């Protein structure tokens, strides 16, 4: 197995990596939209409708999505896997796993 690298290094080198995200809805179906902090390295101050981050080696998309939900919002909830796709994004290529809660 190769060496572990952080997401920043993967982006800098344009290495394929995995990202887990979650769409948060309330009981009326409204989607949470949040503004990213000004001091983050990617898309500071911009609005986003996904909560998430990089999946660690050996971590499932669902585990990563649940962990990121807790880290970013302080919420512990079961996430439901919706789909994944290969995203050839502006900053690097990555597999994007999308979940709902």
């Amino acid at each position: 197995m190769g060496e572990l690298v952080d997401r920043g290094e993967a982006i800098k080198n344009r290495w394929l990596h995995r990202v887990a995200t979650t769409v948060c809805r309330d009981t009326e179906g409204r989607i949470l939209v949040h503004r990213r902090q000004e001091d983050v390295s990617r898309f500071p101050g911009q609005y986003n409708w996904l909560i998430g981050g990089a999946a660690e080696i050996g971590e499932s998309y669902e585990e990563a999505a649940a962990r990121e939900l807790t880290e970013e919002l302080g919420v512990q909830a079961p996430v439901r896997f919706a789909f994944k796709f290969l995203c050839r994004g502006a900053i690097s290529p990555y597999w994007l796993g999308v979940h709902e809660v």
Side-chain angles (χ1 to χ4, degrees):
M1 184 183 311
E3 229 176 277
L4 297 179
V5 297
D6 68 17
R7 185 174 180 203
E9 187 174 353
I11 289 169
K12 182 179 113 186
N13 291 300
R14 299 199 52 79
W15 293 332
L16 183 62
H17 57 285
R18 298 180 313 133
V19 175
T21 59
T22 302
V23 177
C24 300
R25 299 179 198 234
D26 68 10
T27 57
E28 296 177 22
R30 295 177 296 186
I31 295 173
L32 172 69
V33 175
H34 62 96
R35 187 168 182 207
R36 294 176 57 83
Q37 295 178 352
E38 293 290 342
D39 62 351
V40 296
S41 62
R42 290 172 290 282
F43 313 111
Q46 293 185 10
Y47 289 93
N48 196 349
W49 55 282
L50 295 170
I51 302 294
E56 297 174 2
I57 291 177
E59 185 177 42
S60 71
Y61 284 100
E62 292 86 352
E63 290 167 336
R67 176 181 49 76
E68 289 287 342
L69 191 64
T70 301
E71 287 177 6
E72 295 189 17
L73 296 181
V75 173
Q76 291 184 345
V79 297
R80 183 181 70 78
F81 181 80
F83 59 91
K84 75 174 180 177
F85 67 96
L86 180 58
C87 181
R88 301 201 184 274
I91 60 174
S92 73
Y94 54 91
W95 281 101
L96 183 65
V98 180
H99 303 77
E100 292 182 312
V101 70

